[in-house]
Amino acid sequence: MWFPRLASDRVLRAHPVDGPFALTLKQNNANRIYCLNAQAERLGLHRGMSVSDARAFCPDLQSRPAEPRSDMRFLHVLRRWATRYCPWVGLEGDSGLVLDITGAAHLFGGEAMMLSDMRQQLARGGVSGRIGLADTRGAAWALARHGEGLAAPGAPMEALGALPVTALRLDEGTVTALQRLGLRSIAELEATARAPLARRFGPEPLLRLDQALGRQPEQITPLAEPPHYGARMTLPEPIGLQGDVMAGAARLLERICDRLKAQEAGARALCLTLRRVDQEAQSVELRLARPLRDPARILPLFERGVSKVEAGYGIDQMRLEATRVEPLPVQQLSHVSTDSRARLDDLVSRLGTRIGLENIRRFLPADSHIPERGFIVAPAAYSRPEGSWVSLRPRPLRLFAPEPIAGSGPRPPQHFRWRRMRLVTARATGPERIAPEWWLEDDNWRSGLRDYWHVETRQGRRLWLFHTPQRPGWFVQGEFA
Amino acid sequence: MSYAELCVTTNFTFLTGASHPEEMVTRAAELGLEAIAITDRNSLAGVVRAYAALKALRREADEAAIRIRSQHRIDPCSRQEVGQAAPIARPEAPRLPRLITGCRLVLRDSPVEWLALPCERAGYQRLTRLLTLGKRRAGKGECHLDLADLLEGCAGMILVALPQGRLSGVLGPLQKMQRRFPGHVFLGAAPRYDGSDQAYLRACARLAHRASAPMVAVGDVLMHRAARRQLADVLTCMREHITIDEIGTRALPNAERRLKGHDDMARVFHDHPAALRRTLEIAARCSFCLSELSYEYPDEMSEGETPQARLERLAREGVTRRYPRGDAPERVHALLEKELKLVAELGFAAYFLTVHDIVCYARSRGILCQGRGSAANSILCYLLGITDVGPDQIAMVVERFISKYRGEPPDIDVDFEHERREEVIQWIYERYGRHRAGLCATVIHFRSRAAIREVGKVMGLSQDVTANLSGQIWGMSNGGAEPERIRELGLDPEDRRLAQTIRLIGEIIGFPRHLSQHVGGFVITRGRLDELCAIENAAMEDRTVIEWDKDDIDTLGILKVDILSLGMLTCIRKAFDLLERHASTRMTIDSVPQEDPATYEMLQRADAVGVFQVESRAQMNFLPRMKPATFYDLVIEVAIVRPGPIQGGMVQPYIRRRQGLERPEPFGDALEEVTRRTLGVPLFQEQAMQIAVVGAGFTAEEADHLRRSLASFRRMGTIGAFRDKFIAGMLGNGYSQEVAERCFDQIEGFADYGFPESHAAAFAMLAYVSAWLKCHHPAIFACALLNAQPMGFYAPAQIVRDAREHHVEVRPVCVNASGWDNLLERRADGRLALRLGFRQIKGLREEDAGWIVAARGNGYRDPEAVWLRAGVAPAVLARLAEADAFADMGLTRRDALWQVKAVRGQAPLPLFNDPIDGEAIREPVVELPAMHLGEEVVEDYVSTRLTLRAHPMEILRPAIPDLMPHERLATTPLKQVSVCGLVITRQRPGTSSGVIFLTLEDETGVSNIVVWPRIYEQFRRVVMGGRLLRVRGYLQREGIIVHVIAQQVEDLSPRLSELGHPLDEAVGVTRPETDDAPRPARYPPRARHPREQAKRLFPSRDFH
């Protein structure tokens, strides 16, 4: 089964588009077409074409950036769907599936019926697929890509003979060389003496030919199901005490953590579902600041959520599932390593259970002359502290939106009122001149360049003032400690 | 009060400075600075430009604008200026700043950078030697200097320390230098505008006090105006290979590093007035000026003879050689005396002798050469054998080449065979030594393509967008792109980022990027060259290059000899060699029979494929109208089909007069003498000058000035004054107002692109020689032309086709007969046949070909024998098989390839390869499918880019209905026709207001297609990208020239796949020389859908 337009079909299923459509992928600093729909193909566009060329060909082309990882996920979805036809389903490259339907066809009323069912299902799902069915994997591959259809059992040559040698899964160079020798179809290749062929091209073409014609076996490896991180416990008697629930959760957690450990993974989000006797279910969700698989560290975090659960007549079933799992490889511990990082993460998790994980943020340094852009704010749970805080110039501890004050002239005013305070300048150093970053459009910097002054007031406050000479005015933007 | 800026970084500190030196100087004048020092990083490359700009400013106010030289482009072939440049308006300044020549020395081992400002000429010489030392030590474009070098060789200059960043490590080196050069060392304090300036300046003052190196104010200037900050940031990104969004704190925080006047600097240095005043003191001490560089040409004494005496002796010997019967006309003697006198007065004798020596050396080694250039136009050069164009062949104007007043050096370029020029260059190095001879540099500038690509990259446009921007916009002018074109690319010109990008592209065009070596301009000195300018290593091995380009050298009055290369000379020499071998006649350029009627008759038929200079499409169209019958007609032909005369409207009047439809307008007797040979149409620069001299009473130097400045005047719209003077002069000489105006209009018309007669004559000579060879020895000419490739206008396919049309038998490449070069073989009937050589096979190396020929003996029996005896790699055998070079062993291409594929190892296995003793491999016979003609043709194109079998059109014609073969276009009634063929040229001349000319080729000949802009807009993509086109349009005939005016254009390139070969991309690929169209990126066939590829494998049944 081959999905020639897997990526674009996936996007179009979610957002149907009328007209030529293409997915683009940036490769080597050039935007190229990654996948496109039938309409676009009819207009002469093809894969690998640069997007601006395509635009020039076809001005109303609609495009989106491609996401190869989502496509791969979609292929896995399709793989699971395909298990409805037979249990042995494997991936074939990045846009195909291979199904071993031996002994399964009769369930659908024969091979032909099965194929038409597949086609119908795919068409209904909005996925264009091309299907080849043959005795061998190689022959089916060739048929799917170059012929489409069904090869009669036992006589693969009839269906394959007319197909080009590209249908044999050979590398580019071999195919070109064969073509230049005039051996363009599989039949022509088959008719050629084998020993001289092997002498010239190595074993590869013959092996592929034999695999396609069934003279050499080839296996299909079905993909294993992904591990499931969930555990359930049914209680003979309903429970209602918080301690009991926690004890139950601890047992479930133990099981999940063992599984996580075996897979070298850690849970990022967990969900504890408690079913009451009256069939009502309540769930406690827990999100962690970093992947964890240590039950002792996870369990206490559940406490707060569990305490809020209304037990009613009692809880008789508990289910714990790790809803988000991230890889967590085993690491060598060092006796000198401090666990302050881990403690911080635990703190973030703990606070997160109260105020929401998103509400905890951290500052990260950014590279810019513009004070407002000298840092970025990122959610603490989803970022790592990185970079170093090197400030070339003294910067105030607190920075706020510019607040206008009265003043004129290029030097800071002697007296000014700020936040209802009357302040008198004692010392002013400056100016530090900063011009807007011309390549960005920033509304705050509409007033042009700024001359920053470091002003110490008699009242003790040390403020960061700036003057905008191009549109005269004075502002306070920050306060030093 | 005033101020002198001592630290200015121009854009000759590549990818750093954001203003041209010219702009800096002009801005300095505007600001009323006392002096300005140009101090580029380890380089003096920009100082001459600043010097020239200042000189232009100082000149009387007759020139209204300063030109930025970097923005000018000179067409290398005709020496004409092309393109538009935006000049800087002249500043209104009461007095001009002084220029200080200097350099910023950046050391490897010290955090302190030094400004070195020579005080006197001796200091300057030490500076250039220091730079040369650092540059010769390092690779191209780098300079490795240490503090020790500075301590060694920095006497006689002011040294200003520039601390980088912190002041802590500065004291040590500062004290060291102060101890070594007391009184010459200063501490430069540059404000940083970061809020701590006053504290920093105070710290500097304390440091200066401790080190006893007085503090001096410097601006550390990077740009001439604040508006260049954006460009400076873009340059930073290019240097760091990042995009603008990643620039962060590497960007300039503000635009304060611009050139500033006294008031601005005084505000910052209000506590340190002495530092400001010290700039003036230093400026006063640096009295060196570039004009002091007195240049001395080497005068190689030979046996006590002075150069002038030797020149006279050689010239008189030349008279007897050129006129062996002693019948030299009186004019020759008169001219010779006049020129010798002039040369003696100006002291250029040694220069002529040097050129003579070089030419003699080349002759002695059998290297063909020919001189051209204004001075080559003299009788002296003719007699010395530098040129073969005689005095009776063109008018000679001595004033044009050397004028007493202009003080400019004469100009002789010598063209050599392009394959052997290196020998001459190395001989010059050897003869004069590397310390005395060096190649000029060429400053590589940002041109539109590079500018679009690099600025686009910095601004975050993806590569395909920039490729399209530069590809679709044919020759984007310096002004920027038109919004419509941008919209056509699917981009929004209103978009802020894009608008910025396009503006920056416009700004950066003309910025220097790096120095490269000049094609052949040699500077040779009597004394040390490294005391004149800095010398650096070139990228090429064994070459050293000076830092200045040829215009800089001209500005300073330094002589150079141009050692250029010309492909046609290689071709002619090879033809002469072949002539000697096969026809046993030894020939040289001057022994080719002159004024041969058969040759001219051939040219009149526009049968000129391969003939030098007249083979282009426009020339071929012009030949039948011009009907050249003498040598001077060729001179005119070469000069007239040029952008200048075409735009100046000279062509039509000339043709009408030549055909007798119109009478020449002589404008009186005196002027008739000037333009008689060109039928009253001024064509050459010399004539324009003479009209000014003879008609309007200008002096020779005024006339020369007029010629040089007309172009810039016209752009600035200030031509009025000159016009009045010219017309007044004409009126004063008794001409009527009307005649005067018409005369001036004519001069003005070609002011932009006048062509010097001497160049035209030199080219015409080669054109004649090549035409003569083509006419009388077509096989030899074709063979030599193919062996001199790559050169000229046409691809080998067209040359071969032309040879076959001239009844030359062309034989295919064959392992048993071919050499690396194409050869001639004697046929049974005594005529010569052309045997294609291995060089025609794509991807074959000369070395392998050499082995094959060397081990050939009595011939190879089978492909394996080639492998065993010649020892070439199996891949080479495959190349040969693909080129069908085993055909004469009775092997088809496929069978040969099949056999060759069996050879896989690098060396034979002895056991298996001995058919008697060993176990030779006996293979079953394999019957490979036979190739049909279409496949053979495509295979030929794939491996040799040409075919001797059949034209692809011949095969495709039955499938495309209603086509007119090209040979019938000349005779068919004028009506609508449809033609089809492979595109061989595709041109959009700048002079044709958007008209595109195509040449299509089919099996019967070529057709010329004219595509008007309206039709082009409609079929843009097809016209630009097609390989096989069908054109429907009206026939137009004028004499023997036939055009099809296109109305409909259709791209039939996909039909080439009907030839039945998957690699049809190889057919109909045009050469860059003949194709102005931007190259669309080609996609490898694998990018296509496999199903489509499957289709391509099965050709339609018609061909089986």
Side-chain angles (χ1 to χ4, degrees), chain A residues 29 180 184 200 367 433 436, chain B residues 249 463 898 904 935 939:
Chain A
N29 196 22
R180 290 192 99 168
R184 295 190 180 167
R200 284 161 180 82
D367 195 28
R433 180 164 281 193
Chain B
T249 44
Q463 211 167 39
W898 181 254
R904 288 170 73 92
E935 287 177 282
E939 281 281 352

Side-chain angles (χ1 to χ4, degrees), chain A residues 386-443:
Chain A
E386 57 188 49
S388 55
W389 291 93
V390 182
S391 177
L392 298 168
R393 311 262 68 84
R395 289 280 183 261
L397 205 60
R398 284 180 56 217
L399 200 68
F400 33 80
E403 295 167 10
I405 55 168
S408 62
R411 291 193 65 83
Q414 274 306 313
H415 306 273
F416 58 95
R417 287 182 70 85
W418 173 64
R419 292 190 178 170
R420 299 197 185 159
M421 283 178 283
R422 182 174 280 282
L423 300 167
V424 180
T425 306
R427 232 177 72 137
T429 38
E432 175 182 358
R433 180 164 281 193
I434 299 179
E437 291 181 331
W438 52 270
W439 57 95
L440 295 173
E441 221 166 353
D442 189 345
D443 287 339

Side-chain angles (χ1 to χ4, degrees), chain A residues 2 4-5 26-32 41 46-57 130 145-146 162-166 172-173 176-185 188 192-202 366-369 392-394 429-442 449 452, chain B residues 192-196 229-230 233-234 244-256 258 457 459-465 468 472 488-490 496-497 500 504 864 882 894 897-899 901-902 904 921 923-924 926 928-929 931 935 939 942-943 1021 1060-1063 1081 1083 1086-1091 1093-1094 1097-1099:
Chain A
W2 179 46
R5 284 193 277 274
K26 203 160 181 175
Q27 285 170 327
N28 307 330
N29 196 22
N31 247 337
R32 298 202 175 277
E41 218 161 70
H46 53 84
R47 284 180 184 215
M49 193 176 198
S50 85
V51 176
S52 42
D53 275 357
R55 278 267 154 68
F57 264 110
R130 287 152 53 81
R145 278 170 175 71
H146 292 277
L163 298 186
V165 283
T166 36
E172 199 84 27
T176 317
L178 286 172
Q179 283 174 352
R180 290 192 99 168
L181 284 169
L183 301 175
R184 295 190 180 167
S185 69
E188 281 166 335
T192 313
R194 291 175 67 92
L197 256 186
R199 185 174 170 208
R200 284 161 180 82
F201 295 98
D367 195 28
S368 174
H369 288 298
L392 298 168
R393 311 262 68 84
T429 38
E432 175 182 358
R433 180 164 281 193
I434 299 179
E437 291 181 331
W438 52 270
W439 57 95
L440 295 173
E441 221 166 353
D442 189 345
L449 51 85
Y452 278 92
Chain B
R192 302 185 295 190
Y193 304 95
D194 61 354
S196 62
R229 173 176 156 241
Q230 304 192 354
D233 286 344
V234 168
I244 192 76
D245 296 300
E246 301 162 27
I247 188 172
T249 44
R250 281 172 278 193
L252 292 177
N254 51 45
E256 297 303 306
R258 60 177 187 267
K457 203 158 111 192
M459 296 299 284
L461 302 185
S462 72
Q463 211 167 39
D464 47 312
V465 173
N468 268 357
Q472 297 262 344
E488 227 166 78
L489 291 173
R496 184 165 177 269
R497 185 59 88 85
Q500 273 179 340
L504 286 166
E864 219 174 350
E882 281 159 12
R894 272 192 185 145
L897 197 56
W898 181 254
Q899 287 207 10
K901 277 272 172 202
R904 288 170 73 92
I921 299 168
E923 280 196 320
V926 169
L928 292 167
M931 259 189 182
E935 287 177 282
E939 281 281 352
V942 168
S943 59
R1021 199 150 282 286
H1061 195 287
L1063 299 173
Y1083 302 102
R1086 60 182 158 279
R1088 299 226 180 95
H1089 196 284
R1091 190 171 32 171
Q1093 200 155 6
L1097 295 176
F1098 301 105

